[in-house]
Amino acid sequence: MHIGNRLRRPVLAASVLLVLPAVPALAPAAQAAQTAPERARTAPAAAAQAAKCGTGSAVEQKMRGGGVWRMCWHTDSTSGLVLEDISFQPRHEAKPITILKSAKLGQIHVPYDNAAAEYNDVTDMQLGESAEALRPKDCPGGVLMKIPGVDPDTGETKQVNGLCVTTQERGFAFHGNSGDIGEEPGKKDAEQGQDLVLYTVNSAGYYHYINQWNFSDDGTITPKAGATGNLSPSDYDASDKQGWPVGKGSKDRATSHHHNIFWRLNFKPDGSSDAKVEQFDTKYAGKGQEGIPTYRTTRKRLAKETAGNTGANGSRWWRVVSAKGKNADGHRRSWEIVHRNQAKYTARAFTKYDVYFTRYKKFEQYASDNARFGSHRADDVGKFTNGEALKHPVTWVNVGFHHIARDEDQTPMPVHWQGFSVAPRDVTSMSPLTPDRLRKPKYNGEPEEADD
């Protein structure tokens, strides 16, 4: 056993479930933009949301584009930040649209290239116990919430300002000219997008993981994890001679390793767990006119638990379809998994696939090392996927990163990010950010050049 790698991971206290009392949390940047009457109108809804969260905590945020995100949160000693009852109410929709029952990190699997060590940072380290205290400047424009963390000297649990709830700019939401769809005179339409953002920073030895969730004003959810902190001093031996030389000459070689991060999403579209999962495949279908390649996209409903890959060119994708909700055009609401896994680790069976869809079971909580919490539990997500009928689907998304260190990783190490998106597909009949003057039947579907 490579002892040096082991020293990278301190031993933490035993697991306990940690839940905080209900506290409404609104990002002040957006609050400040509201007038007094607007705040008065949203106050009852905020109170209702806080009551709904019970022993958890509530977040309700009206976005600049008019939509409202609502959710509950709590912390777990293993997973860390857990989000529940996530809904989005687009502008012009009469009520919130439920998307997810729960969402959390499912594992951070870290195998070393020289076979000296292999960690499961979420479960090995009880990642949720190691929340780092954040300062006001670490949460610009937002509010800091108390969550449990561990004193690194005593090992005792204490409350720290560890959860940031804020808003961030995300660049262009759209840019176009309405003259292209028949409006006279045409106008330039361009707006900057905005995200509601929640994040914690949890330590695992020398690493600090940023567990971040972005909720965009167009209804998109982007889970992402950033790895930072410091390269482990005990990993500078690279016994396989393949590690990257860091520092003067090539004496010190930092050991290369993978970060295989899994997220666990328990969908509940439109309030029902009876969701459907569909797989789409786009393939070359020959040549058409003048030799131009033809492509065809096929759809298949997944009736049984399934694992799959997006393919080298992203030609396969999936969506979770509401069993009861339709938009104003009569189309089923759904949410697309937007995912590219550029550095997939295939040495373990459970890391060979980008996405898993499994039937909900209470004891299937972590993508690997799941049997740590009971010998009766299947150990990894590959074993969860055993051909059962796909009812109440749980989505597991795997994103890999191969960390080959560089001189610039010293010190502290710049953040490297991994993540994916859950994008609305037919949730509303037009974008929730479409300007009101363009929300007309003649602009929904094939554009028609007609007078107002």
Side-chain angles (χ1 to χ4, degrees), residues 229-265:
N230 291 288
L231 294 172
S232 169
S234 59
D235 290 339
Y236 280 90
D237 59 354
S239 59
D240 60 354
K241 307 302 181 185
Q242 295 296 306
W244 198 266
V246 177
K248 294 290 185 180
S250 60
K251 175 183 176 182
D252 297 323
R253 289 178 172 266
T255 308
S256 302
H257 53 279
H258 283 76
H259 294 258
N260 305 309
I261 301 185
F262 288 80
W263 286 264
R264 181 183 185 273
L265 306 176

Side-chain angles (χ1 to χ4, degrees), residues 430-445:
M430 300 180 78
S431 167
L433 301 178
T434 296
D436 285 347
R437 74 175 202 285
L438 299 178
R439 301 183 70 86
K440 298 177 181 179
K442 66 179 180 180
Y443 300 131
N444 180 17

Side-chain angles (χ1 to χ4, degrees), residues 66 89-94 432 434-436 439:
Q89 185 172 358
R91 186 164 53 99
H92 300 299
E93 289 289 330
T434 296
D436 285 347
R439 301 183 70 86

Side-chain angles (χ1 to χ4, degrees), residues 1-66:
M1 178 61 69
H2 189 66
I3 303 299
N5 284 104
R6 271 222 175 279
L7 294 176
R8 168 176 176 261
R9 304 288 202 252
V11 178
L12 297 182
S15 171
V16 292
L17 183 63
L18 303 173
V19 180
L20 298 184
V23 179
L26 296 175
Q31 277 188 291
Q34 294 179 349
T35 64
E38 285 175 328
R39 287 195 293 270
R41 286 196 298 270
T42 60
Q49 177 68 10
K52 175 183 177 182
C53 291
T55 55
S57 295
V59 172
E60 180 171 324
Q61 180 65 62
K62 184 174 183 179
M63 310 301 290
R64 188 172 56 224

